[in-house]
Amino acid sequence: MNTSSLLVENTSKNFAGFKAVDDVTFDLNAGERVALLGHNGAGKTTLFKMILGFLRRDGGRISVLGAEPGSHAARSGASYLPEAVAFPGALTGKEVLTFYARLKGEKPALALPLLERVGLADAAGRKVSTYSKGMRQRLGLAQALIGQPKLVLLDEPTTGLDPISRQNVYELIGEIAAKGATVLLSSHALTELEAKTDRILILSKGCLVADDQLNQLREQAGLPIRLKIWTKPDAVQEVANQLGSTRMNGRSVELDCTLDEKIQALSAISSLGNLVEDVDVHAPSLDDVYRHFSNTAQKEA
Amino acid sequence: MFSRILTVAGQEIRIGIRNRWILLATLILAVFSLALALLGSAPAGTLGVDRLTITVASLASLSVYLVPLIALLLAFDAICGEVEKGTLLMTFSCPISRTEFLIGKALGHTLVLTFALVIGYGLTAGLLVGMGAGSTAGLTDFARLIATSILLGVCFLALGYVLSSLTRQSGTAAAAAIAAWLVLVVLYDLALLGALVANPSGVFASSVFPYAVLLNPADAFRLFNLTALGASELVGGMAGVSETLPFDPRFALVSLIVFVAVALSASAVLIRRITP
Ligand SMILES: Nc1ncnc2c1ncn2[C@@H]1O[C@H](COP(=O)(O)OP(=O)(O)OP(=O)(O)O)[C@@H](O)[C@H]1O
Ligand SMILES: [Mg+2]
């Protein structure tokens, strides 16, 4: 018996000799919000399907809430939003949600307020075939939140949503995690995840290449801070020499430094007095961090 | 468990109402049976047999063609269509077992079929009774026809589920369903009759033919209904064989039930192997 909500150990999946998921190991605890990142074809959906028991794994161990994937106990405690949501088009949003509530053993009356939570209250009586992509996505999300699941698996919950709906999705995820549910969501973009998840897993070509908090990952990546110094005309060469940089560009000089050296570098720049007109400081963006982990893994492979 | 089965069945019925499937099936059965009852009864009236009974005899032949077709059309898409659309991903991640899901679908489709048969054929029976052409015995025949037609329908629903869980695309499943209908409803019969005509007194006619009839639900259905009517003199053909059967014709009913059990079990096994 283990206490983790989801345990994945040395799990692999081969499709006709092609390794879609390669020896992946991680462990999620109750109340954690975890993002699974990866390029197209990295194996995110394949991993989800193994966790749900739809695909058989080729080696390794998965335990969903202490039970075998796909078992009745695992399916009772976990819920899932597929990446391409589809519903019977002839039914209304309300009927669809009632259907899933009944399958999950929840009173429909308790599930229906979810439609309001995902912003579908007005469309509840309309046929799903008339819904936009984002509306179907939100109906799928409401379905995944029925009956207080302990583990919520969301495959690209924000793809196709407008920025405000995305914000709502992360608010909802925060709420259910605060009630003790573990949320594992997949995504392509690291930028939208800032401060919205507790942990990031990065999958690249089937391998898990990172598993940590966002700021830890930023540190591990060790990406330099980039300073761009705008100089007086004709002073470019002099500034470059003083700062020991070789990268010049018309009227600006570029300088890389680590977080520790940043203040030092800035004071060196200010000591140059009126040779300098302006300074831009570029901290590495989340996309840079993500690219770093994805690329190193691909180079090693 | 039952509530989950009923939930799936209920959704199937609701979809049947929404996309007008139920209406269409009922209309087809009503129109064809009314046409048979009104057009085909003139000569039989002179035989002094109850007109309802005559109609039941011709409706039995109609059922053999129409009911399997309607059942296969309802069922062929039931599993692979949902795999193709992606709706099964969500359904199978819920705590419903795949067997419960299958039973729910079967129950829903059976109720759709029952509704269409009771209303479609019932209209015809009502009309004949209203015209003063029916008796209580004739009504019993009618009830038997509807009940066995439902059973025949369930046979082909179950067959449809087997085909639907064997294929990945609903296009392929549709082709397989049409092929199954052609073979079981049309070609099987022709082959049997051909063999019988070629050698009317050989081993085939006496010891293979009767059991071959039992194996195919469409033939078993026809055998049971026509012998139950005692209508061989009315219809001729296959029913004439019933007097020489080596077993009680009610055995045909058992054969239908066995077929349903086997086909439903087979699809319950197959649906477990599906990756949604
Ligand atoms: N049933 C299958 N048969 C063969 N190969 C498959 C199958 N399913 C997935 N793959 C392959 O496994 C790899 C991982 O696919 P997967 O769908 O898990 O990627 P993903 O990370 O979800 O990508 P995306 O971001 O595009 O959704 C891909 O190369 C895909 O072609
Ligand atoms: Mg995917």
Side-chain angles (χ1 to χ4, degrees):
Chain A
M1 188 66 211
N2 58 70
T3 50
S4 54
S5 309
L6 174 64
L7 180 74
V8 176
E9 244 176 31
N10 306 109
T11 298
S12 301
K13 179 75 198 172
N14 291 316
F15 288 118
F18 167 77
K19 280 214 152 169
V21 173
D22 190 359
D23 198 22
V24 167
T25 300
F26 62 88
D27 184 357
L28 308 186
N29 297 315
E32 265 191 311
R33 299 166 301 168
V34 182
L36 176 66
L37 264 88
H39 55 86
N40 288 126
K44 303 181 293 294
T45 302
T46 308
L47 191 57
F48 275 122
K49 285 186 176 173
M50 283 193 286
I51 293 170
L52 290 158
F54 292 162
L55 284 175
R56 216 169 301 147
R57 57 193 180 275
D58 303 321
R61 193 166 79 93
I62 296 180
S63 151
V64 180
L65 304 163
E68 180 66 15
S71 63
H72 188 81
R75 282 182 287 137
S76 304
S79 70
Y80 174 53
L81 169 72
E83 63 183 329
V85 261
F87 300 102
L91 301 180
T92 67
K94 192 175 163 186
E95 285 166 342
V96 166
L97 206 68
T98 306
F99 174 74
Y100 284 106
R102 292 222 171 97
L103 287 192
K104 289 168 194 256
E106 175 83 354
K107 283 207 187 74
L110 293 178
L112 287 175
L114 282 170
L115 283 174
E116 208 165 313
R117 282 299 288 116
V118 298
L120 284 178
D122 294 337
R126 272 168 39 200
K127 284 189 184 174
V128 176
S129 58
T130 67
Y131 280 21
S132 72
K133 155 114 177 74
M135 289 163 84
R136 281 199 300 273
Q137 187 84 7
R138 282 183 276 163
L139 181 57
L141 187 67
Q143 171 274 143
L145 301 183
I146 293 171
Q148 267 115 47
K150 291 201 205 60
L151 173 66
V152 183
L153 303 163
L154 308 172
D155 200 351
E156 299 184 21
T158 56
T159 327
L161 294 189
D162 60 60
I164 295 179
S165 308
R166 276 172 199 233
Q167 202 62 40
N168 284 337
V169 168
Y170 286 113
E171 273 167 28
L172 267 174
I173 289 172
E175 271 174 38
I176 54 175
K179 285 189 202 146
T182 307
V183 183
L184 177 64
L185 66 103
S186 78
S187 170
H188 290 127
L190 194 50
T191 22
E192 71 174 57
L193 292 175
E194 183 135 51
K196 284 157 192 150
T197 49
D198 304 312
R199 231 166 100 196
I200 312 263
L201 308 173
I202 300 180
L203 209 55
S204 175
K205 293 198 168 165
C207 301
L208 194 65
V209 295
D211 173 1
D212 218 326
Q213 292 171 4
L214 192 50
N215 48 5
Q216 300 285 328
L217 287 181
R218 218 196 275 264
E219 213 165 277
Q220 279 170 33
L223 292 178
I225 295 167
R226 188 154 292 174
L227 302 174
K228 192 169 189 174
I229 304 118
W230 298 88
T231 66
K232 282 249 150 54
D234 310 327
V236 181
Q237 190 62 53
E238 192 188 342
V239 169
N241 289 343
Q242 295 256 6
L243 295 172
S245 167
T246 53
R247 283 185 296 150
M248 291 166 282
N249 184 349
R251 282 189 50 200
S252 67
V253 176
E254 280 182 12
L255 183 70
D256 287 351
C257 67
T258 64
L259 191 61
D260 300 338
E261 301 161 350
K262 183 170 144 192
I263 301 300
Q264 211 183 331
L266 283 175
S267 60
I269 292 165
S270 64
S271 71
L272 292 171
N274 58 6
L275 289 180
V276 175
E277 284 195 336
D278 199 4
V279 182
D280 285 341
V281 181
H282 285 284
S285 77
L286 292 172
D287 277 333
D288 295 332
V289 174
Y290 172 51
R291 206 172 299 129
H292 168 80
F293 281 102
S294 239
N295 287 344
T296 22
Q298 287 188 15
K299 269 181 218 133
E300 280 166 13
Chain B
M1 177 188 158
F2 284 117
S3 79
R4 291 191 291 265
I5 292 177
L6 290 180
T7 302
V8 174
Q11 195 196 35
E12 218 49 54
I13 294 171
R14 184 167 277 145
I15 292 176
I17 295 171
R18 285 289 153 75
N19 57 22
R20 308 216 160 72
W21 242 112
I22 297 188
L23 186 68
L24 193 68
T26 311
L27 265 181
I28 290 175
L29 287 171
V31 166
F32 274 90
S33 62
L34 277 175
L36 273 186
L38 298 180
L39 302 177
S41 54
T46 56
L47 281 174
V49 186
D50 188 90
R51 199 161 146 196
L52 264 182
T53 308
I54 315 268
T55 307
V56 169
S58 39
L59 283 190
S61 300
L62 178 73
S63 274
V64 168
Y65 289 96
L66 274 189
V67 172
L69 192 64
I70 293 173
L72 283 170
L73 286 178
L74 277 173
F76 83 92
D77 213 18
I79 295 151
C80 63
E82 292 219 27
V83 173
E84 207 173 40
K85 269 200 297 179
T87 45
L88 272 194
L89 278 171
M90 255 183 256
T91 310
F92 282 174
S93 72
C94 295
I96 179 174
S97 79
R98 299 197 177 183
T99 309
E100 286 168 357
F101 174 79
L102 187 72
I103 296 174
K105 283 254 171 186
L107 182 63
H109 287 151
T110 304
L111 291 175
V112 167
L113 209 61
T114 304
F115 179 88
L117 279 164
V118 168
I119 303 295
Y121 283 179
L123 274 178
T124 303
L127 190 82
L128 289 178
V129 172
M131 286 161 57
S135 65
T136 342
L139 278 180
T140 325
D141 290 336
F142 232 101
R144 182 180 341 96
L145 172 76
I146 291 176
T148 51
S149 293
I150 294 168
L151 187 57
L152 175 68
V154 178
C155 285
F156 279 85
L157 284 176
L159 183 64
Y161 301 142
V162 170
L163 298 176
S164 194
S165 38
L166 277 174
T167 47
R168 284 297 291 186
Q169 275 111 22
S170 44
T172 323
I178 289 176
W181 181 82
L182 244 141
V183 169
L184 288 180
V185 175
V186 184
L187 299 180
Y188 194 88
D189 232 29
L190 283 181
L192 283 191
L193 288 181
L196 205 58
V197 168
N199 188 359
S201 52
V203 185
F204 176 80
S206 60
S207 52
V208 179
F209 176 80
Y211 299 101
V213 166
L214 277 192
L215 275 184
N216 180 344
D219 281 325
F221 165 84
R222 187 165 16 206
L223 177 72
F224 174 78
N225 268 290
L226 295 187
T227 49
L229 289 176
S232 51
E233 71 278 9
L234 297 176
V235 190
M238 263 193 46
V241 184
S242 60
E243 280 104 57
T244 61
L245 283 180
F247 47 78
D248 190 324
R250 270 174 296 185
F251 211 67
L253 216 53
V254 178
S255 138
L256 287 176
I257 291 166
V258 171
F259 188 94
V260 170
V262 170
L264 272 185
S265 314
S267 47
V269 171
L270 288 170
I271 199 175
R272 274 168 202 281
R273 304 190 325 174
I274 283 180
T275 306

